[in-house]
């Protein structure tokens, strides 16, 4: 359900940092927003040095923008962004000054996954139960690539 | 007016799939949200395999995020995301389990195109009439590239 | 605090245009939204020609999507998008018909920078004062790259 877009320059994160950051974002989102990890997407657009500016000069910020369904308790979303920022600094080694985390949201009924409208926060159990039943023979959401 | 951002790995969609998906998104958005097709933008950021994670592992999801003006009827926006998800699976051959479609929005008065603030949903006719008159000698919005 | 994402094809903006556009966006945002320029981020995802479609055909639009904290006066946000669209056309040489500017927002308490939850619009002074004190020995936000 959620999508986290982590924008940086190509010089900022190595393969291990991206993998570890994806894992931490997935873990934290799962814990706080009660979404199974199978539904957490993390995307890394990496731009050439010189295509990200801060204060009108080329910079090396890490900009994390997450989309989640509207309606989660506000204090939990604040906790989510705080935890994400701390974990991002820890696993990447970047100073917290260089990390911005933002959550945006829209109503669950404005989003579709697996062909079905997403459930409202708090209604995940019924939605997931139906999904498991109907998809028993199909791929998991976000089918991992064959390695 | 709208912008659809379709994020995938470079290995996921071929040229024909991107072209067909852009055409389907444009057709469906035009029908449901009553915007002329000339104003529908579709963008394909393609990332290297390994830069998109689902459940902490590299994945091949198609993440479609659309921006539209706030104020369209909620049930029509639900229909929009359902139709977009079905069409996306059909034209790309990807299973629906691998496709997430989300609509985000902000007030029309927080957006400018062709130098003018966008009209509220339902007020398009007057806005478009003025646009046609003033732009008669200029390029169309989103001027297609010379082929 | 804000993030402006300027999406184009690789053929649309040269280095000088990107630098000038980042500077203009930073200047205008700083003036209207009362955020120090050190906190303004501008990102340029450049896609291959053929990965951006308008009206179902490859196009050369400039799509500027800004994120800002919710709660700025609506009329100021309208002024912001109008000024950004005009300046974008002026510094890039692109016709206004090819430029879309959109502002999206979410609550300040759903965003973290420098390890701290962002201030509500109007509460920046106290937040910035504390930041300066605590970060005196550290890098500036968005630490510019060594040149």
């Amino acid at each position: 359900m959620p999508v986290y877009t982590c924008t940086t320059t190509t010089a900022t994160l190595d393969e291990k940092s991206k993998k570890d950051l994806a894992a931490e974002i997935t873990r934290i989102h799962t814990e706080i927003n009660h979404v199974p990890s199978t539904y957490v997407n993390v995307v890394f657009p990496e731009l050439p040095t010189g295509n990200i500016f801060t204060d009108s000069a080329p910079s090396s910020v890490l900009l994390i923008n997450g989309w989640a369904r509207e309606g989660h308790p506000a204090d939990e979303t604040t906790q989510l962004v705080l935890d994400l920022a701390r974990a991002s600094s820890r696993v990447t080694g970047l100073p917290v000054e260089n990390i911005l985390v933002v959550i945006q949201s829209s109503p669950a009924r404005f989003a579709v996954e697996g062909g079905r409208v997403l459930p409202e926060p708090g209604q995940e159990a019924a939605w997931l139960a139906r999904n498991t039943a109907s998809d028993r023979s199909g791929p998991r959401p976000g089918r991992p690539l064959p390695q």
Side-chain angles (χ1 to χ4, degrees), chain A residues 22-56:
Chain A
E24 275 298 274
I25 290 173
T26 301
R27 182 185 65 77
I28 292 167
H29 187 93
T30 296
E31 279 182 18
I32 295 182
N33 273 22
H34 314 298
V35 166
S37 62
T38 42
Y39 289 93
V40 181
N41 304 290
V42 184
V43 175
F44 291 92
E46 295 180 290
L47 308 182
T49 296
N51 275 26
I52 301 184
F53 294 82
T54 302
D55 198 12
S56 302

Side-chain angles (χ1 to χ4, degrees), chain A residues 13 17 20-21 24-25 28 62 64 81-101:
Chain A
L13 301 178
S17 291
D20 291 351
L21 183 50
E24 275 298 274
I25 290 173
I28 292 167
L62 169 61
I64 302 180
V81 285
L82 281 167
D83 287 1
L84 289 170
R86 282 183 204 124
S88 299
S89 177
R90 182 167 39 77
V91 302
T92 64
L94 295 170
V96 289
E97 287 75 19
N98 284 25
I99 299 173
L100 173 64
V101 181

